Amino acid sequence: MRNSYRLMIPGPIEVAPEVLAHMSDPLTAHYGDKWVEICNGTVSNLQQIIGTTGEVIIVVGSGHTANDISINSLFNPGDQVLTLNNGLFGQRLADICEAHGLDQVILTKPWGKPFSPSDIHEAVTRHPDVKALLVVHGETSTGIANPVQALTAAAKEHGLLVMADTIASLGGHPYKMDDWHIDLTVCASQKALGAPPGLALIAVNETAWSFMADRRKPRGFMTDLQNLRHFAEVQAAFHPHPGTMPVNAFVALQKSTELILKEGLEATWARHDRVARVVRTGVRAMGLQLMADEEAACANLTVIMADDQFLPQAYFDFMIEEYGMQVGLGLGEYLTRSVRIGHMGLNANLEAVVPCLVGFEQFLRLQGHDVPRGASLAGLE
Amino acid sequence: MRNSYRLMIPGPIEVAPEVLAHMSDPLTAHYGDKWVEICNGTVSNLQQIIGTTGEVIIVVGSGHTANDISINSLFNPGDQVLTLNNGLFGQRLADICEAHGLDQVILTKPWGKPFSPSDIHEAVTRHPDVKALLVVHGETSTGIANPVQALTAAAKEHGLLVMADTIASLGGHPYKMDDWHIDLTVCASQKALGAPPGLALIAVNETAWSFMADRRKPRGFMTDLQNLRHFAEVQAAFHPHPGTMPVNAFVALQKSTELILKEGLEATWARHDRVARVVRTGVRAMGLQLMADEEAACANLTVIMADDQFLPQAYFDFMIEEYGMQVGLGLGEYLTRSVRIGHMGLNANLEAVVPCLVGFEQFLRLQGHDVPRGASLAGLE
């Protein structure tokens, strides 16, 4: 029996061996010249990938932590914000806003359907006190990427602050924070950025800093971006965080982001796009449906509907047993109704997705479906 | 030139190779049977080391994160608490309380001097509205351990809730949460627990859960212990946290705590005590002074005063160059006036502290001091 399986879930993902190896480097001090160099190098790589000249605050935690810190720092209880909910992580963003006592206008759409600029215009017209838009870019539960560029443009017509959760998209699906005028970006280490879980990051532009400058106090210590910025500035040359940071996790993230930049950001996006199209085309050629509208599909993962044609758990088990690969089951009410295949980072390669596709058609034939051999490869030359 | 140095700072510490290796294990999913087994095993080990049957909530973050979450969860702005400040981390605890808008009664003592039960009685007599006592057990800036057992007994006479920060003590210096009636314990992975940095933990007894039950809402999402408990309960069998946890960091912590329990908690404490006495006796025999009162010395580290007898930076440099060992400089105003040697976990062994001691006397002789060869070994048979 295998002890581990190739992780084809939509994060954490397979991590490059040279990245993973750094996690077991001899421990070094969380202060001093060498540490500052690691911090600054990691931040610089992230700025390039996020597409911002703004500050990037790295925190120990998951993407949830970074969303929680951002919402805590930006808003006061009672502030009215517009939250877009078309998946589990849109819902979670709303849960976090709720946990901070915000007065939310929550727009909902069926899973798999993206929001459009007109949704923003209509909502703000009905709710003119809305101060900010909160949107999930890559939605891991549905496989879509909300069109954050267009949504932000609409929000900016009404003077809204825009916060984007790019946890499942950044590094694979195109994203340009500054060019698109997004004010705050949240991400985490373990998806298309290609590092192990444990770090999250928050990129903040000047508009967002100004926005939070006069927010209420107190706001907590580790959850207050202004406090974290204070330490980053005052202790910049020696120890730019209030607490002890996991040095090796930074080194791994620095390395994984360096690999992205070495390939080139545009080339990385193109690779993700190509592999995602191979997956989507193959899935359709097997007669299956995708949860995401094609024009809104996220390049990092694909969610496949079971539609009474197969049992997701059975495909999951088949892939574990026959291929040693772990795919994801659906989330929420789609647990027994969909399968999620992650194809980001190292998994955005044919050697990773071809076995998932071929395994799928093999599985379907074993279940009695009439799927021609090679149908799943329709997206390949 | 060496690429890394044996870490004799008071945390992070040298980590056992078999613990560190787990950080580079192939990544596995943050949900499912195997993950739940890892979580439960880690919590069970920690409960034994903390000495509690209460719940242990593990969070991604540093000790600061856990202190911040605990204070956020326990108190409302304006609540009056008694905070003990006799070192940098007592001060930091007060800073965190301040960041949550608490009405603090802060008792201060000179660095190196422990608090006593009479301090508690006097303070509560003067401030009868105080609801809770917040105390740092092992103070990494001074090398003392505040007598939390006696302080808690005093606080309990007045019905106070007691929160103890054991970040620098737990696993090396004796601590018994339930026996001593402490209500909430904060710790982190990277000191005497012997794992890399990146995880923190909060042990909560029923008194503390009751205490926070009727606190104000909202309280945030990842910073609300009641919310974290909710996920731990509702998703116990599959995914007991709201976000993606760093699986390998848990495996490493499970392994490092297993090593402590295999040695035996009492035996581990005795080893730390013995090695700490060897260090303190040797330091005194070289004619140097300790910052900590002897009766309050923490078993996990020793802070040595420079007293114009040597330059801390010069000893630091000497140990790096000649021994490949990194000791800690003083904190705060003692940066240039003291040296801190950590001797916890794997470093609570003669093979780690003897070179630090012998290096010290060698260094002092090179500086022109008349220290007999072997003086630093006065604590050995």
Side-chain angles (χ1 to χ4, degrees):
Chain A
M1 208 194 105
R2 291 176 173 92
N3 270 321
S4 66
Y5 304 95
R6 178 158 186 147
L7 271 188
M8 297 300 294
I9 63 177
I13 63 168
E14 284 297 301
V15 165
E18 63 268 43
V19 170
L20 192 55
H22 282 300
M23 295 300 286
S24 295
D25 282 350
L27 296 189
T28 55
H30 54 295
Y31 49 74
D33 292 347
K34 194 176 159 189
W35 168 235
V36 169
E37 196 183 311
I38 293 165
C39 287
N40 292 345
T42 310
V43 164
S44 167
N45 288 355
L46 288 168
Q47 285 174 318
Q48 294 173 65
I49 292 171
I50 297 166
T52 187
T53 57
E55 280 156 79
V56 174
I57 307 275
I58 303 177
V59 298
V60 194
S62 66
H64 275 63
T65 314
N67 276 326
D68 199 41
I69 290 173
S70 300
I71 289 166
N72 178 64
S73 301
L74 286 170
F75 306 113
N76 287 341
D79 279 354
Q80 199 172 66
V81 300
L82 180 61
T83 313
L84 305 187
N85 176 357
N86 56 350
L88 191 78
F89 294 95
Q91 176 62 52
R92 186 52 59 83
L93 213 46
D95 294 342
I96 297 174
C97 288
E98 173 74 23
H100 287 278
L102 306 193
D103 173 20
Q104 288 186 87
V105 176
I106 304 177
L107 297 189
T108 58
K109 287 233 174 183
W111 285 28
K113 303 290 174 197
F115 285 94
S116 69
S118 61
D119 297 321
I120 308 296
H121 294 307
E122 283 166 29
V124 180
T125 304
R126 278 201 309 277
H127 305 278
D129 289 340
V130 157
K131 292 183 169 177
L133 170 69
L134 283 74
V135 55
V136 174
H137 188 208
E139 176 56 80
T140 333
S141 61
T142 68
I144 74 152
N146 279 306
V148 287
Q149 181 179 12
L151 298 175
T152 301
K156 287 297 172 189
E157 286 184 38
H158 305 280
L160 303 191
L161 186 93
V162 177
M163 166 176 162
D165 166 346
T166 70
I167 295 167
S169 55
L170 191 75
H173 198 96
Y175 184 80
K176 299 179 178 183
M177 177 169 168
D178 287 358
D179 284 358
W180 297 352
H181 306 291
I182 293 158
D183 301 302
L184 189 144
T185 301
V186 164
C187 196
S189 54
Q190 78 276 7
K191 303 212 183 215
L193 293 180
L199 293 179
L201 53 105
I202 305 162
V204 188
N205 74 6
E206 279 309 318
T207 307
W209 286 122
S210 303
F211 187 88
M212 70 181 90
D214 62 346
R215 303 285 107 185
R216 65 147 173 85
K217 293 279 178 182
R219 201 168 279 283
F221 196 85
M222 299 300 280
T223 50
D224 179 2
L225 280 171
Q226 292 180 84
N227 188 45
L228 299 179
R229 184 191 212 190
H230 168 77
F231 278 90
E233 287 174 355
V234 174
Q235 301 185 166
F238 183 68
H239 182 6
H241 305 92
T244 302
M245 302 301 270
V247 173
N248 289 349
F250 271 69
V251 176
L253 181 58
Q254 184 179 16
K255 182 72 185 174
S256 74
T257 49
E258 182 190 309
L259 293 176
I260 292 173
L261 295 172
K262 208 175 264 180
E263 179 178 6
L265 195 51
E266 301 274 349
T268 303
W269 292 343
R271 171 167 58 82
H272 281 73
D273 181 62
R274 179 183 171 228
V275 167
R277 287 176 194 280
V278 167
V279 172
R280 294 199 301 271
T281 306
V283 168
R284 279 201 212 87
M286 289 187 281
L288 301 175
Q289 301 297 318
L290 305 173
M291 186 184 279
D293 284 359
E294 176 64 18
E295 71 279 11
C298 181
N300 289 6
L301 78 154
T302 299
V303 181
I304 303 157
M305 303 303 293
D307 289 332
D308 300 325
Q309 297 207 56
F310 68 93
L311 286 175
Q313 184 68 50
Y315 172 61
F316 175 95
D317 292 342
F318 177 83
M319 289 305 294
I320 286 281
E321 282 157 28
E322 293 291 316
Y323 285 79
M325 297 178 113
Q326 181 173 354
V327 299
L329 294 174
L331 293 179
E333 60 173 304
Y334 289 94
L335 174 64
T336 58
R337 296 166 57 196
S338 69
V339 155
R340 299 178 307 137
I341 297 178
H343 35 77
M344 58 186 108
L346 210 61
N347 289 339
N349 281 302
L350 295 180
E351 51 95 12
V353 299
V354 162
C356 288
L357 289 168
V358 171
F360 222 138
E361 59 166 79
Q362 186 184 3
F363 161 76
L364 290 172
R365 280 192 295 272
L366 284 167
Q367 300 280 313
H369 289 265
D370 181 25
V371 181
R373 189 169 285 121
S376 70
L377 306 175
L380 292 178
E381 299 77 3
Chain B
M1 207 194 104
R2 291 176 173 92
N3 270 322
S4 65
Y5 304 95
R6 178 157 186 147
L7 271 189
M8 298 300 294
I9 63 176
I13 63 168
E14 284 298 301
V15 166
E18 63 268 44
V19 170
L20 192 55
H22 281 301
M23 295 300 286
S24 296
D25 282 350
L27 296 189
T28 55
H30 54 294
Y31 49 73
D33 292 347
K34 193 175 159 189
W35 168 235
V36 169
E37 197 182 311
I38 293 166
C39 287
N40 292 345
T42 310
V43 164
S44 166
N45 288 356
L46 288 168
Q47 285 173 318
Q48 294 172 65
I49 292 171
I50 297 166
T52 187
T53 57
E55 280 157 79
V56 175
I57 307 274
I58 303 178
V59 298
V60 194
S62 66
H64 275 64
T65 314
N67 276 327
D68 198 41
I69 290 173
S70 300
I71 289 166
N72 178 65
S73 300
L74 286 170
F75 306 112
N76 286 341
D79 279 354
Q80 200 172 65
V81 300
L82 180 61
T83 313
L84 305 187
N85 176 357
N86 55 350
L88 191 78
F89 294 95
Q91 176 62 52
R92 186 53 57 83
L93 214 46
D95 294 342
I96 297 174
C97 289
E98 173 74 23
H100 287 278
L102 306 193
D103 173 20
Q104 289 185 86
V105 176
I106 303 177
L107 296 189
T108 58
K109 287 233 174 183
W111 284 28
K113 302 290 174 197
F115 285 94
S116 69
S118 62
D119 297 321
I120 308 296
H121 294 307
E122 283 166 30
V124 180
T125 304
R126 278 201 310 277
H127 304 278
D129 289 340
V130 157
K131 291 183 170 178
L133 170 69
L134 283 74
V135 55
V136 174
H137 188 209
E139 176 55 80
T140 333
S141 61
T142 67
I144 74 153
N146 279 306
V148 288
Q149 181 179 12
L151 298 175
T152 301
K156 287 298 172 189
E157 286 184 37
H158 305 280
L160 303 190
L161 186 93
V162 177
M163 166 176 162
D165 166 347
T166 70
I167 295 167
S169 55
L170 191 75
H173 198 96
Y175 183 80
K176 299 179 177 181
M177 177 169 168
D178 288 358
D179 284 358
W180 297 352
H181 305 292
I182 293 157
D183 301 303
L184 188 144
T185 301
V186 163
C187 197
S189 54
Q190 78 277 6
K191 302 211 183 216
L193 293 179
L199 293 178
L201 53 105
I202 305 162
V204 189
N205 75 5
E206 279 309 317
T207 307
W209 286 122
S210 303
F211 187 89
M212 70 181 91
D214 63 346
R215 302 285 109 184
R216 65 149 171 84
K217 293 277 178 184
R219 201 168 279 283
F221 196 85
M222 299 300 280
T223 51
D224 178 1
L225 280 171
Q226 292 180 84
N227 189 44
L228 299 179
R229 184 191 211 189
H230 168 77
F231 278 90
E233 287 174 355
V234 174
Q235 301 185 167
F238 183 68
H239 183 5
H241 305 92
T244 302
M245 301 301 269
V247 173
N248 289 348
F250 272 68
V251 176
L253 181 58
Q254 184 179 16
K255 182 72 185 175
S256 73
T257 49
E258 183 190 307
L259 293 177
I260 292 173
L261 295 171
K262 208 176 264 181
E263 179 178 6
L265 195 51
E266 301 274 349
T268 303
W269 292 344
R271 172 168 57 82
H272 281 74
D273 180 62
R274 178 181 173 231
V275 167
R277 286 176 194 281
V278 167
V279 172
R280 295 199 300 271
T281 306
V283 168
R284 278 201 212 87
M286 290 186 281
L288 301 175
Q289 302 296 318
L290 305 173
M291 186 184 279
D293 284 0
E294 176 64 18
E295 71 279 10
C298 181
N300 289 6
L301 78 153
T302 298
V303 181
I304 303 157
M305 302 303 292
D307 288 332
D308 300 325
Q309 298 207 56
F310 68 93
L311 286 175
Q313 184 68 49
Y315 172 61
F316 175 95
D317 292 342
F318 178 83
M319 289 305 294
I320 286 280
E321 282 157 28
E322 293 290 317
Y323 285 79
M325 297 177 114
Q326 182 172 354
V327 299
L329 294 174
L331 292 179
E333 59 173 304
Y334 289 93
L335 174 64
T336 58
R337 295 166 57 196
S338 69
V339 155
R340 299 178 306 137
I341 297 178
H343 35 77
M344 58 187 108
L346 210 61
N347 290 339
N349 281 302
L350 295 179
E351 51 94 12
V353 298
V354 162
C356 288
L357 289 168
V358 171
F360 222 138
E361 58 166 80
Q362 186 184 1
F363 161 75
L364 290 172
R365 280 192 294 273
L366 284 167
Q367 301 281 312
H369 289 264
D370 181 25
V371 181
R373 189 169 285 120
S376 70
L377 306 175
L380 293 178
E381 299 77 3

